[in-house]
Amino acid sequence: MAALLIGGAALALIAFPIVVAVMLGEAPYDLLHVGYPGVDVAVITTSLLSGAQLATLVTSGALVHLLFLRDAPARTARYLSEGFEITVLRIASGAWAVCAGALVVFEALDSNGTPLARLATPSALPFLWEASYAPKAWTISFLAALIVFFVSFFSERWTGLMIPLWATGIAVLAPVVSGQVLVGPDHDFGSDAAIFQTIAVNAFFGAALVAVMRVVSGRLVSPLTLRRLFRIGVVALPVIVVSDVIIAVFKLAGGDIAASLTGWLILAGFACLVVITVVFVVAAILARRGKLRAGHITGLLSLAAVAVAGWTGVGVAMTRQPPPQYFVPTSIEQVFMGFEVPDAPTLGVLFGQWRPNLLFLGIAAAAIIVYLVAVRTLHRRGDRWPLGRTAAWIGGWTVVVVATSSGFGKYSAPDFGVHMIVHMSLNMLAPGLLVLGGVVTLLLRASRSDRTKPAGLHDWITWVLHWRVLQFLYNPLIVFVVFVGSYYGLYLTGIFGDYMRFHWAHQLMNLHFLIVGYLYYSLIIGVDRPPRPLPHIGKLGYVLAAMPFHAFFGVILMTSHVIIAETFYRYLDLPWADLQAQQYLGGGVAWAGGEIPLMIVIVALAIQWSRQDATDARRKDRHLDTGRDDEYDAYNQMLQRLADRDATRPGPRPTVREDTHS
């Protein structure tokens, strides 16, 4: 059984992409107008891609198992012990590092159409590395894999795997967002769908592969692990299927699915997803009827593993052939943004021309659903949750959706003034509402912790909140410097101009604005208690300290004659664009948009301050009324003792003056 499983997976994952690469030969390189690097470079690159994909999946799956799928009780789950998953993590991350490191070299050769012998030329590799995106992306993956590999040997606590988790998340996305989905009309949709798919695939497929490896090695998979893996699949599998459809439509660019090799590979990938879905549904039906046995689990997991290997192999094979969207006539606007903006950004255009931002729509939908489920859990338990907090949370994400998916989001790339409106909305307005939602407090109240039962959501949140790295990063001084310094570091350097050329970088900027704003306002008016809470007077000073920096930044933009990201805007060459006027508007928005929300925050802070004083006063009155607070009586008794002591103390004797007669 094990031999058949390994053989089938290897055939689907490694042999199939290599056969495709060999059969295609020089044709894909000719289509891209680059030289043929030779069959050796093509085959080695394809093999390394397959190995890297498999190692990435297993690494991600091992992390998911160690963090969320273990059945260890909460009192011991906080600490990591040597076991099967740790061993798998170390081996997989080491293999990932080897493949990614080799891909830095071979992707530089392959993407530039350069034969292997060229490496003998001095300085050839740095030049080739700089000439394309692929080797840069695999450099990020290589560094992240090294982080995961070394940290896995020294992590003793659950929180020690947080850094490898974040490193893995960034590393798996780097080759994807800079790959085929970066090119062509509507690549904003393709890129966002690929982001969701990559995260879901690595979480669910990776965890399933680790479960298969555990079964093949003769170890048991606990019922709790299977239940939690099933819950991940309930969320991840629909995301994978829907995103795959979006990516397929994007890559085909309106062409017939049977008219290209990419189309046939898409069909093969769909077939693998159908097999995985059927396996998932059958397992769910058997489990619901109480008929799921060990033999069923082994067989179903094995079949799913082969299908996952096939789907991954198809994905690797797809990278060897330029998809149809590469060859669709594309304007310069579509090259940079994925869509065209022929109309000037009037109010009617900004509020009427919507273009869905799939990334932030997905994040907002997930955040609201999780929040409402937690509120419902509290209500079913008989606890109350303030309606105002729910309204603030939904309102904050509504601001995010409007800022990114309306005409404001559509024109945030080609118009600097509109960009600053979106920036301020994500950095100032939305976070101010979101922190009033108190999501951490809600999740803690909605979940339970029992040290004798397996660790769950309540334990995970508690461990993260007490994580020293988070407490260091949540330091008010660090948050303040990042919050204020982001403006100057992003816009007054070349970073903004470079990032605006890529959809993924634009999305990263928006996400950065939102997260930093959330951290900043959580320290001032947030419902959740931060690791280092500020006193009310300190919160007021925290707000006032930021206001001059916003004003000064706005003045710089309004008075500067140097156009920020001028090269990017000149590339777009939009007929309605007035770069100087747009920058002046952006400076005004940065000034007023920074001052007005901060003034609103000051008002909210004053209200919170007065409510806190009133609450303390009521608490004091209740203690006095119930007799539980004897501070006042003790004070009166102390005064009475002092008075009694003064009364009983002997006074000085009167002095008798004798008259003297001469």
Side-chain angles (χ1 to χ4, degrees):
M1 179 66 180
L4 289 175
L5 175 62
I6 295 173
L11 186 66
L13 179 61
I14 300 175
F16 176 71
I18 291 177
V19 170
V20 171
V22 172
M23 292 181 64
L24 287 174
E26 301 180 12
Y29 300 89
D30 293 338
L31 290 173
L32 297 176
H33 304 289
V34 297
Y36 184 49
V39 68
D40 53 349
V41 171
V43 169
I44 293 174
T45 303
T46 305
S47 303
L48 290 172
L49 284 171
S50 297
Q53 292 294 334
L54 177 61
T56 302
L57 281 174
V58 177
T59 299
S60 303
L63 286 171
V64 170
H65 270 267
L66 289 167
L67 288 169
F68 309 117
L69 302 186
R70 287 187 299 157
D71 60 352
R75 64 172 179 269
T76 59
R78 188 175 184 179
Y79 303 95
L80 301 176
S81 57
E82 293 291 332
F84 178 76
E85 284 78 13
I86 283 286
T87 303
V88 170
L89 177 63
R90 292 168 180 169
I91 296 174
S93 59
W96 179 20
V98 171
C99 292
L103 279 168
V104 173
V105 177
F106 280 91
E107 278 285 15
L109 297 170
D110 187 72
S111 58
N112 289 286
T114 305
L116 187 59
R118 180 71 182 277
L119 291 179
T121 304
S123 303
L125 183 58
F127 173 79
L128 296 173
W129 185 89
E130 187 65 33
S132 61
Y133 301 134
K136 298 184 181 69
W138 284 108
T139 300
I140 295 174
S141 292
F142 171 65
L143 296 175
L146 287 180
I147 292 173
V148 177
F149 177 73
F150 286 112
V151 173
S152 65
F153 283 93
F154 300 102
S155 293
E156 297 180 351
R157 294 174 176 266
W158 185 90
T159 50
L161 295 179
M162 287 288 101
I163 291 178
L165 181 66
W166 280 103
T168 301
I170 295 172
V172 299
L173 290 174
V176 173
V177 298
S178 60
Q180 291 182 346
V181 295
L182 187 63
V183 181
D186 300 320
H187 69 258
D188 53 329
F189 292 152
S191 295
D192 289 348
I195 290 172
F196 282 120
Q197 185 182 77
T198 302
I199 295 173
V201 162
N202 280 273
F204 180 47
F205 287 0
L209 287 179
V210 173
V212 172
M213 295 170 64
R214 190 175 183 88
V215 170
V216 171
S217 65
R219 295 173 173 84
L220 295 176
V221 180
S222 70
L224 176 68
T225 299
L226 288 175
R227 286 197 300 271
R228 290 184 174 179
L229 181 60
F230 178 80
R231 291 170 186 169
I232 294 175
V234 168
V235 176
L237 199 53
V239 171
I240 295 170
V241 173
V242 172
S243 59
D244 214 44
V245 172
I246 296 174
I247 295 170
V249 173
F250 159 66
K251 287 189 173 183
L252 293 174
D256 185 3
I257 195 170
S260 64
L261 175 61
T262 298
W264 287 106
L265 291 174
I266 288 172
L267 290 175
F270 281 159
C272 294
L273 285 181
V274 169
V275 172
I276 296 170
T277 304
V278 169
V279 168
F280 187 81
V281 172
V282 170
I285 294 175
L286 291 176
R288 184 162 186 167
R289 294 177 178 177
K291 297 180 179 180
L292 187 62
R293 302 292 183 261
H296 297 145
I297 295 173
T298 302
L300 291 173
L301 283 176
S302 301
L303 181 58
V306 174
V308 167
W311 187 85
T312 306
V314 168
V316 173
M318 205 175 294
T319 64
R320 311 312 302 164
Q321 171 72 13
Q325 97 268 7
Y326 270 43
F327 310 104
V328 175
T330 307
S331 66
I332 190 66
E333 300 162 52
Q334 291 172 323
V335 167
F336 287 119
M337 301 180 298
F339 52 88
E340 295 180 333
V341 282
D343 303 319
T346 62
L347 287 179
V349 170
L350 293 176
F351 285 100
Q353 292 189 11
W354 284 60
R355 185 175 181 86
N357 187 310
L358 298 184
L359 178 65
F360 283 94
L361 273 175
I363 294 174
I368 292 175
I369 291 173
V370 169
Y371 194 96
L372 293 180
V373 169
V375 171
R376 183 171 178 268
T377 301
L378 276 183
H379 286 177
R380 293 178 63 181
R381 192 187 298 163
D383 295 336
R384 296 182 58 82
W385 183 255
L387 182 61
R389 294 183 182 179
T390 303
W393 182 257
I394 296 176
W397 286 112
T398 301
V399 170
V400 171
V401 171
V402 172
T404 56
S405 292
S406 68
F408 288 96
K410 183 178 180 180
Y411 279 81
S412 62
D415 189 302
F416 186 78
V418 177
H419 169 83
M420 289 307 299
I421 295 175
V422 174
H423 177 162
M424 290 300 160
S425 298
L426 295 177
N427 196 229
M428 309 286 284
L429 181 56
L433 293 170
L434 292 176
V435 299
L436 294 175
V439 62
V440 176
T441 302
L442 172 63
L443 293 178
L444 286 173
R445 287 184 57 185
S447 56
R448 299 290 181 89
S449 177
D450 188 339
R451 291 176 58 83
T452 63
K453 295 181 179 180
L457 180 62
H458 192 284
D459 303 293
W460 300 330
I461 295 175
T462 303
W463 296 340
V464 171
L465 292 177
H466 290 85
W467 186 28
R468 292 183 180 179
V469 175
L470 179 64
Q471 293 177 355
F472 172 77
L473 296 176
Y474 219 159
N475 185 292
L477 179 60
I478 294 177
V479 173
F480 183 84
V481 170
V482 175
F483 179 74
V484 172
S486 295
Y487 295 86
Y488 297 88
L490 179 63
Y491 295 105
L492 302 186
T493 64
I495 296 177
F496 178 72
D498 292 336
Y499 273 28
M500 291 304 293
R501 297 185 295 129
F502 307 103
H503 175 73
W504 64 265
H506 195 185
Q507 296 286 63
L508 182 62
M509 282 192 293
N510 289 338
L511 196 61
H512 170 80
F513 298 151
L514 187 62
I515 293 174
V516 172
Y518 186 92
L519 293 176
Y520 178 78
Y521 286 109
S522 66
L523 292 169
I524 304 171
I525 58 174
V527 173
D528 302 319
R529 180 181 175 86
R532 290 184 175 87
L534 296 171
H536 285 291
I537 190 65
K539 294 178 180 179
L540 181 60
Y542 205 61
V543 176
L544 296 176
M547 297 177 72
F549 291 99
H550 284 93
F552 184 60
F553 175 73
V555 170
I556 291 176
L557 294 182
M558 297 173 71
T559 58
S560 175
H561 296 290
V562 177
I563 302 298
I564 294 176
E566 182 176 9
T567 302
F568 168 73
Y569 292 119
R570 295 296 182 194
Y571 279 150
L572 293 179
D573 193 25
L574 298 169
W576 48 260
D578 184 343
L579 301 185
Q580 191 66 57
Q582 291 169 0
Q583 183 161 314
Y584 187 85
L585 173 62
V589 170
W591 189 349
E595 301 296 312
I596 295 175
L598 288 176
M599 293 301 297
I600 296 175
V601 168
I602 291 177
V603 174
L605 180 59
I607 294 174
Q608 287 185 347
W609 198 341
S610 63
R611 287 180 177 176
Q612 182 64 41
D613 290 343
T615 300
D616 292 342
R618 288 195 299 269
R619 184 183 299 112
K620 187 75 172 178
D621 292 340
R622 287 197 303 269
H623 281 205
L624 290 173
D625 294 341
T626 58
R628 287 182 290 179
D629 193 324
D630 59 355
E631 180 180 342
Y632 182 73
D633 295 337
Y635 179 71
N636 287 335
Q637 292 175 6
M638 181 190 69
L639 293 179
Q640 184 63 44
R641 286 195 298 270
L642 291 175
D644 294 342
R645 186 176 64 182
D646 291 341
T648 58
R649 180 182 298 172
R653 293 183 179 182
T655 302
V656 179
R657 183 177 180 179
E658 296 180 358
D659 295 335
T660 56
H661 302 279
S662 52

